[in-house]
Amino acid sequence: MPVSRYRCQYAWLGDAPVADVTIEIADGRISAVWRGEPGVPLPGLTLPGFANAHSHAFHRALRGRTHADRGSFWTWRDAMYAVADRLDPQSYFTLARAVYAEMALAGIACVGEFHYLHHAAGGARYNNPNAMGEALIAAAAEAGIRITLLDTAYLTASVAGEPLGGTQLRFGDGSVHAWAARADARRPHPHAVLGAAIHSVRAVPAEAVPTVAAYDGPLHVHLSEQPAENDACLAHYGRTPAAVLDDGGALGPRTTAVHATHLTPHDIALLGQSGTGACLCPTTERDLADGIGPARDLLDAGSPLSLGSDGHSVIDPFEEARAVEADERLRTRQRGWFTAADLVRAATVAGHRALGWDDAGTIAVGARADLVTVRMDTPRTAGVDPAGLVFAATAADICSVIVDGRVVARDGRHATIDVPHALATAIGAIT
Ligand SMILES: [Zn+2]
């Protein structure tokens, strides 16, 4: 059993940085944590691996291409559908491999892929109906990160039950039972957790919710990202989206509500009392003009917070984390809603739990050996107190990334993939 030892200038242990920590890794796990023993030096602050709890890998192709758009979430969605229409299993593998490698450089050890682009144009089935999901799982393996594939049920075009059309035909399985049969046919992989997702109350009727909710493993759902979705849900069901999910048995500790932006106090209580998590995606929510979710109220009510880069206008867990605090400051004109420890927890251990990896996201004996080292001698980080580094660092300050004991990035470069070239080639082929 190969054993490695790293000596960290600082390591994030529990909820704070500790100086001069040696971490021993055996068989992909942390086997010992000491003070001041010899080891390969890791200068800077070493954090646990980040979990990116909400991703749509193909949205990365839109970065910098919708900035002149004066529309809304809904006009942006048209541009996103145009990209979706150009993907097949091979081009999606190529794109996702590059995007996940970008994530690896940003310290992300595990991605939660909210996957709904299942089928070929017009809804035609590939020979392997899970070919697109398999492409994502293979892409994560090549990028050196873990994946939770949240296979997403997408059945209708509106809360009122309009049928899918156009690009959306690629998302639909026809019925919730056909969705379940396809999701059940997925094959296990050691670096993958197989979970499920309800796209939203727009795309999954209330009567289909219990079938998706019964799936084993993590369950994710887009919740109340847009006021228009809430209005349509109230008009059709006389209940909010959170109440529809609650009535369908879809809330609970296995569940993560993504965005959770436009909630009533009753919705917040439903999520908190059931232990349902909330995945905030602040850089996407600001990019799409969604609004600011009630992050502090959710945490206080009992909902663990996790973070996702979602549409990938930015892939930077530090930016995502500090935006949670910054958005509350803008809304309330007060500071100090979240500590650095709250934000690191959301980016690491809570994110991993939301993705079904209960043994990752901390630097502790027995945990998966995911170590993300941030330089403290860059123009952004020099002179910064390591306890407050999450408020100063960017993904570009990360020099070393170790996932499951394997070195994925060193000196800020991916071990096996030329990331800028891979991204430019993959995006160039579909735009
Ligand atoms: Zn999403």
Side-chain angles (χ1 to χ4, degrees), residues 54-56 59 73 76 114 116 199 222 225 258-259 281 284 310-311:
H54 191 65
S55 163
H56 306 285
H59 295 190
F73 170 88
W76 169 86
F114 197 105
Y116 55 84
H199 180 276
H222 289 131
E225 180 177 8
V258 180
H259 303 301
C281 309
T284 297
D310 188 4

Side-chain angles (χ1 to χ4, degrees), residues 51 79 97 155 178 201 250-251 334 353 369 394 408 423:
R97 171 181 178 271
L155 302 170
V201 296
L251 300 185
Q334 292 204 335
R353 285 201 185 129
T394 71
V408 175
L423 284 165

